[in-house]
């Protein structure tokens, strides 16, 4: 087995540019990196899984504005498809990055874009929102989503943990300002002044309703995502 290199690829800034170019070429919209110690919530991984992985890469892909604009009171088939393709693309980007990093002699652990490991607690292995926030991709907004300066909350996310030394992204300050569009848009009024006010019970009950009664078979909605499009001049 090849030992991990410490010299040729030790410059974090150069490594970041290398990672960024691969991710962009594979279809990423935004890429950021962080030291794992900056992630504010626990990771649900064993020590064996996590061994030696000190850094994280956060990748965002943009959703279709036209699809989101078409939503009226919840998800439709166009959104379901866009959601699934975003997940597939994110998983592919994470897969490709993982292999490229491994080829350079470092370790990498891709986390699924959308996988719930505990249905009781509704958690994934790693919180993509918190990795993205720590990586400087955006802030956690009133809508309880990761909001980016470039595309608002109209992005989906994936994370890759790695031993490849990477730089710390600069944090983005809370930027919702006096925008309350998501609060008005939520069909069950599950949002409030801050992310901490998000009402899981109300949100989940609605998503469950859509999954079963609207034949989505997925816990999706999209109304708070639609309400957070980012800069006005963006198409
Ligand atoms: C399970 C799950 C759900 C559950 C809810 C679980 C939950 N508690 O959040 C349900 C099914 C209800 C759900 C709903 C939705 N989800 Co969802 N979901 C997930 C999943 C798979 C795991 C979430 C998780 O681990 N939560 C555990 C906690 C620790 O992490 P967190 O929720 O990310 O963070 C919260 C807390 O930490 C708290 N918080 C905020 N600040 C701080 C600070 C500190 C110090 C602490 C301790 C906590 C804290 O608020 C955070 C936001 O809720 C993730 C994928 C992933 N692996 O991240 C997608 C994910 C979060 N979902 C996503 C989306 C888009 C949605 C929906 C819009 C549905 C849809 N696609 O139409 C709604 C959003 C509702 C809303 N406004 O929040 C996206 C968010 C993208 C973005 N731009 O932010 C994700 C990241 C999937 C992806 N690959 O992009 N989801």
């Amino acid at each position: 087995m090849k030992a991990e290199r410490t010299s040729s690829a030790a410059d974090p800034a150069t490594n970041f540019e290398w990672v960024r170019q691969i991710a962009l070429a594979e279809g990423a919209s935004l890429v950021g990196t962080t030291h794992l110690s900056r992630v504010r919530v626990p990771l649900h991984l064993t020590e064996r899984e996590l061994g030696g992985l000190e850094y994280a890469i956060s990748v965002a892909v943009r959703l279709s504005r036209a699809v989101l604009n078409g939503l009226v009171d919840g998800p439709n088939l166009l959104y379901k498809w866009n959601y699934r393709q975003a997940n597939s693309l994110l998983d592919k980007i994470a897969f490709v990055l993982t292999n490229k990093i491994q080829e350079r002699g470092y370790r990498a652990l891709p986390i699924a874009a959308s996988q719930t490991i505990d249905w009781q607690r509704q958690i994934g292995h790693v919180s993509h929102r918190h990795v993205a926030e720590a990586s400087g991709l955006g802030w956690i907004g009133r809508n309880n989503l990761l909001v980016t300066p470039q595309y608002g909350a109209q992005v989906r996310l994936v994370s890759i943990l790695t031993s490849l030394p990477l730089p710390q992204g600069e944090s983005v300050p809370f930027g919702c300002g006096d925008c309350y569009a998501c609060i008005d848009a939520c069909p069950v009024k599950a949002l409030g002044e801050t992310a901490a006010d998000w009402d899981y019970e109300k949100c989940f009950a609605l998503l469950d309703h859509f999954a079963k009664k609207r034949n989505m078979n997925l816990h999706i909605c999209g109304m708070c995502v639609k309400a957070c499009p980012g800069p006005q001049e963006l198409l």
Side-chain angles (χ1 to χ4, degrees), residues 40-41 79 83 87 113 115-116 122-124 126-130 140 143-146 153 155-157 191 198 200 203-204 207 219-222 224-225:
R40 299 191 292 162
V41 292
Y79 179 60
Y83 163 96
N87 286 345
Q115 190 178 52
T116 302
Q122 286 290 317
I123 51 168
V126 169
S127 164
H128 296 320
R129 284 187 273 220
H130 281 275
I140 293 181
N143 50 15
N144 198 30
L145 298 171
L146 190 277
V155 293
R156 288 188 67 77
L157 305 163
L191 300 169
W198 173 66
Y200 163 71
C203 178
F204 187 80
L207 269 53
H219 286 80
I220 55 174
C221 170
C224 57
V225 182

Side-chain angles (χ1 to χ4, degrees), residues 8 38 41 49 64 67 82 88-89 93 142 159 161 193 208-209:
S8 66
R38 296 284 287 266
V41 292
E49 288 160 340
S64 160
V67 165
N82 201 230
S88 298
L89 178 58
I93 295 169
R142 269 186 198 116
S159 315
L161 312 191
E193 183 63 41
D208 210 39
H209 167 82

Side-chain angles (χ1 to χ4, degrees), residues 18 22 92-110 160:
W18 177 76
I22 294 169
K92 182 182 176 229
I93 295 169
F95 198 95
V96 170
L97 274 174
T98 295
N99 275 339
K100 298 269 184 200
I101 291 170
Q102 289 182 160
E103 277 164 24
R104 280 182 65 172
Y106 290 87
R107 274 172 278 175
L109 179 74
I160 302 102

